[in-house]
Amino acid sequence: MTTTSTKANGSGNSSMPIQERDRVTVRFAGDSGDGMQLAGNRFADATAIFGNDFSTLPDFPAEIRAPAGSLAGVSSFQISFSKHQIFTPGDEPDTLVAMNPAALKSHLSALTKGGLLVINEDAFTSGNLKKANYPSNPLSDGSLEGYRIIKAPITTAAVAAVDDLGLSNQNAERTKNFFALGLVYWLYDRDLQPTLDWIEERFGRLPNIAEANRRALFAGHSYGETTEIADAHVRVPPAVLTPGEYRTITGNQAMVLGLITAAHLTDLELFYGSYPITPASDILVELAALREYGVRTFQAEDEISAVGTAIGASYGGGLGVTGTSGPGIALKSEAINLAVMTELPLIVLDVQRSGPSTGMPTKTEQTDLLQVMYGRNGESPLCVLAAKSPGDCFYMVLEAVRLAFQFVTPVILLSDTYLANTAEPWPVPDITQLEPIDIPYRRLEQVDPEDFEPYKRDPDTLARMFIPPGLPDLQHRIGGLEKSDITGDVAYSPENHQRMTDLRAAKIAGIANFIPELEVDGPESGDLLVLSWGSTYGAVFTAVNDAREAGHEVAHAHLQYLNPFPRNLSDVVSRYEKVLIPEANTGQLRMLVRANFLVDAKGYNEVTGQPLSARLLTEAIRKLADE
Amino acid sequence: MVLQTPHAPEPVESIIPLASEDLKRKDYASDVDTRWCPGCGDYSILAQMQRGLSNLNVAPEKMVFVSGIGCSSRFPYYMNTYGMHSIHGRAPTIASGLKLARPDLMVFVITGDGDALSIGGNHLLHVLRRNMDVKIFLFNNRIYGLTKGQYSPTSELGKVTKSSPIGTTERPLNPLSVALASEATFVARTFDTDPQHLTATIEQAARHHGAAFVEILQNCNIFNDRAFADYTDRDVRNERLLYLEHGQPMLFGENEDKGLAVSATGLRVVDTDGPDAGLILSHDATRPAPDVHQLLARCQYPEMPVPMGVIRRVNAPTYGDYIDSQIEVAKFKNRQDVAQLLRGRSTWQVE
């Protein structure tokens, strides 16, 4: 063991022949205190630098530290990497790293038949087996037959590797994730250098801890070299991606960058009002660290205050944004309606999670679509967008800002737990190439007071004359009471209420003329269209392609604009015999499509808290195509 | 003779955006017809608000009135300023976001006892605690007027109202105690039928740098008539009200013949010609500890005189001051390079 070596590339020193594969999926699973998210993220980093395309799926319990060894406390991180472009983190892992019996119990059923199990045999004590409800030890009772197994004494080997550093027992044992990581690096022929650099950066001020982690990583790697498992040593060649500069990005990070970029492009002050809520909290946390960009983050006393302050900032002419998840949207609904009635620009980020009620805070779902469409009192139309991938969150934020100001309306942008936490390689955008975003109120500031009426509308967009306070001779009052057309005075006349109801609806419907038409991938008409929205894009894209490879003619279209729909959607759905709408809910988009276009759309629906399974969806597509 | 010498640091005053010409009261009145019941205390408050602002000569276009829901919350419509009649209880949130985005504006919140202390109770605590630079005027009529006469969170225990036909079963909140407990830096009380005091209090609140909380006792002549008459009627005022003046002894009575002194259990009334006259306190609104201020807030008729005026006025940085200075420091220390930010900690090149 040496720590002076900086390059340790397994393929050179192994006697075992190396296998080549197109795509591999690995899942790390352990106690929530075992550092599985950290190990997974390091693996993703090394994979990015190696040049594979990849996609990750962190999955962790809502409890910060459930009892050690319990089933409730299992945390996992899946990564799929490929020589081709990929769009999902993979359905079934080829390799499962199980740090304890609970992790094995929770995740074994996902492992592909004949898959590789890397097991920390030290953790298979009678106590831990009992906590995981194992009547007998699966390592010896034959129940793991059919899998390839690497049983490694991960804890004791890691502790031995750091033996002379004088660490506490607890700290020594904590290096076991780096041991496991080193072992997996060997299995998949990863360069250790990016992780060594990261250790130096992260733990440089704690040289003992840094050294311990380095040693555990090397020890795990060496352990791999001496394993004698057949076909374990695998290489996935780099993917051919569009040339350019890449970084890894999660959906929440992309939201943050999108907001900063929107503020930069518009030269508006960014105000982000939010109350901490899983899985949206990271947006608040990351924005709070960017004061140098003039960001005013406001950790509100509750969800209502979070949106109220954002509305106040918007009313003042700023870029007012609030972010939350489904339960927070429910609390914000009345205030969002105020922004509908006062017709103010407002950005609402909804990072959806499993419901109803508190539901499963760390699990994903697409179940807020109908809530954001209709979950407010009165006829309350607003603009709804949905991101389709982590990187797409960036571009959809820019789009939300553009539409909010152009149409002077609240815009709700839907993401979800899966997009929020999943990481993928992302071509870094060139900000000089991004579309500018127009802020119409700046032109209105030159208006002659004689021509100013707060509810006079732009003939093209139907946007009202929104002008922030501060300009002389333009003083006016707005509010939640019904407004008189043009003057904005309080009005109760029946004719006016009908007219204003129609105008608010027409304004939002008219956005369809300012957004792209829906593109169809595959045949322009025919037997089967698969129509999807939001984070299921990757799984649906993959499933459609798999069905095509199996000989089916399938078209695919993906919606990023949910309200209004793209203006050609009616035409698109009418061109196919069958329409299949896969969703991680019980059929919310399907209900909208059926209601709007009288199309007998079928659903493929999973409400499991997990991303849609591309494999099961492929089967559903093939079955419907055969009908 | 007084027990205590007030220390009176120079108050930090709010920067008031001034009008370019000399404005009159009517310049602050909008052309919208008022729709309160005839005889409502709100008319007086509206008139004194306009008078106070004209005394200060505030630029109307730099002023925003934000209100919630309730009779009082109609107020912004009648002011020739910018304004938002928002939703129930949430005015402090909208005002906070507005002030943070637009420090150049002067932001006033108009609210009522139900709006501020019931449905919006949480926001009131936090807007005060944060010392947001907004001025909050709570019109307290101890009743729900707009919904036609249900009890409010300041209605007295046992009060018979439409929703409590045999009397309420809940104890009221004391708005000043709530404000003090929320670390408010400016706390005052005034009432609708003393125009001079009302105007002066509004002006002092407007000048305060930070969150100002003003309780205005306001008569609802339809659903809770004469709620405060026992001590605000002209003929009893001098006997039953304590007009507070910073730095002055706390005296009241027709001939200023009584004063407040500290007792073992709180405040007590002593005669100015009695043996304890020397124990009469001077009012120190700037005292950092809110102890005496809380005792004053708790003074209730008929046991004690009811304090009017500025109870507390202390200097403290506002939320906006803190966040602006963080931004300034961060801009000085760190690079602003959006292109670099997009690249993140590390990137790689695909050839």
Side-chain angles (χ1 to χ4, degrees), chain B residues 215-232:
Chain B
E215 180 192 18
I216 305 178
L217 307 183
Q218 173 249 324
N219 192 46
C220 172
N221 56 322
I222 304 296
F223 295 108
N224 198 18
D225 197 19
R226 298 184 59 71
F228 310 104
D230 285 345
Y231 40 95
T232 58

Side-chain angles (χ1 to χ4, degrees), chain B residues 31-173:
Chain B
D31 53 7
V32 175
D33 295 333
T34 41
R35 291 218 194 142
W36 290 310
C37 308
C40 177
D42 288 353
Y43 285 100
S44 165
I45 304 173
L46 178 64
Q48 301 331 313
M49 181 65 77
Q50 291 161 353
R51 188 182 309 280
L53 295 178
S54 70
N55 290 347
L56 296 167
N57 213 40
V58 180
E61 73 271 16
K62 292 288 188 182
M63 273 215 76
V64 184
F65 279 86
V66 183
S67 64
I69 293 293
C71 293
S72 59
S73 290
R74 295 279 176 138
F75 199 95
Y77 291 121
Y78 311 133
M79 296 297 300
N80 181 29
T81 62
Y82 288 89
M84 194 196 293
H85 179 203
S86 76
I87 45 175
H88 210 3
R90 320 303 174 199
T93 69
I94 290 156
S96 295
L98 175 61
K99 182 68 191 182
L100 291 175
R102 291 290 301 279
D104 60 312
L105 300 175
M106 193 159 178
V107 181
F108 280 23
V109 169
I110 303 295
T111 183
D113 37 320
D115 194 57
L117 294 169
S118 201
I119 194 166
N122 195 28
H123 308 309
L124 182 66
L125 301 187
H126 293 278
V127 72
L128 294 174
R129 159 179 90 81
R130 293 187 181 114
N131 201 26
M132 280 293 173
D133 196 10
V134 298
K135 321 303 163 195
I136 299 161
F137 298 88
L138 187 160
F139 300 6
N140 183 9
N141 56 16
R142 308 187 83 171
I143 197 78
Y144 280 80
L146 200 60
T147 50
K148 300 192 167 64
Q150 299 80 14
Y151 62 88
S152 91
T154 56
S155 295
E156 53 276 31
L157 177 64
K159 187 176 186 66
V160 174
T161 71
K162 282 192 185 163
S163 56
S164 55
I166 51 174
T168 69
T169 52
E170 26 183 287
R171 290 180 299 160
L173 276 176

Side-chain angles (χ1 to χ4, degrees), chain A residues 123-138:
Chain A
F124 281 68
T125 61
S126 59
N128 281 343
L129 289 165
K130 211 172 144 191
K131 282 186 208 165
N133 298 330
Y134 272 120
S136 60
N137 191 338

Side-chain angles (χ1 to χ4, degrees), chain A residues 12-71:
Chain A
N13 353 344
S14 176
S15 54
M16 206 76 71
I18 191 158
Q19 310 269 320
E20 253 197 33
R21 297 253 198 93
D22 285 0
R23 178 175 183 171
V24 165
T25 301
V26 180
R27 187 181 293 182
F28 297 85
D31 234 10
S32 41
D34 280 348
M36 292 298 97
Q37 303 301 324
L38 185 152
N41 278 310
R42 289 307 96 222
F43 192 88
D45 206 32
T47 300
I49 290 166
F50 179 76
N52 292 131
D53 196 14
F54 70 92
S55 176
T56 71
L57 176 66
D59 188 9
F60 40 84
E63 295 78 13
I64 302 301
R65 288 278 189 281
S70 69
L71 291 163

Side-chain angles (χ1 to χ4, degrees), chain A residues 247-260:
Chain A
R247 61 167 287 174
T248 61
I249 197 152
T250 66
N252 276 352
Q253 286 170 342
M255 290 281 199
V256 169
L257 297 179
L259 290 173
I260 297 279

Side-chain angles (χ1 to χ4, degrees), chain A residues 239-366:
Chain A
V240 182
L241 297 172
T242 312
E245 189 180 26
Y246 282 74
R247 61 167 287 174
T248 61
I249 197 152
T250 66
N252 276 352
Q253 286 170 342
M255 290 281 199
V256 169
L257 297 179
L259 290 173
I260 297 279
T261 304
H264 173 75
L265 292 174
T266 56
D267 200 21
L268 291 174
E269 299 273 344
L270 174 60
F271 179 93
Y272 187 75
S274 191
Y275 185 76
I277 183 170
T278 303
S281 311
D282 284 347
I283 301 172
L284 171 66
V285 169
E286 295 203 14
L287 281 172
L290 296 172
R291 287 271 191 268
E292 60 268 29
Y293 293 91
V295 183
R296 284 175 171 77
T297 52
F298 179 82
Q299 184 173 315
E301 60 272 23
D302 58 26
E303 294 281 358
I304 300 169
S305 169
V307 65
T309 48
I311 290 171
S314 282
Y315 173 53
L319 174 51
V321 185
T322 186
T324 186
S325 186
I329 293 288
L331 286 161
K332 292 178 197 293
S333 294
E334 189 195 16
I336 293 172
N337 240 351
L338 175 68
V340 169
M341 189 58 126
T342 52
E343 301 192 41
L344 288 172
L346 174 71
I347 309 297
V348 180
L349 309 178
D350 176 5
V351 189
Q352 302 165 93
R353 68 187 215 189
S354 291
S357 188
T358 313
M360 301 193 289
T362 57
K363 310 297 177 191
T364 196
E365 233 164 68
Q366 294 183 291

Side-chain angles (χ1 to χ4, degrees), chain A residues 217-236:
Chain A
L217 186 72
F218 282 116
H221 198 266
S222 308
Y223 189 91
E225 284 175 10
T226 56
T227 55
E228 293 188 356
I229 182 125
D231 305 337
H233 196 195
V234 168
R235 185 171 185 276
V236 176

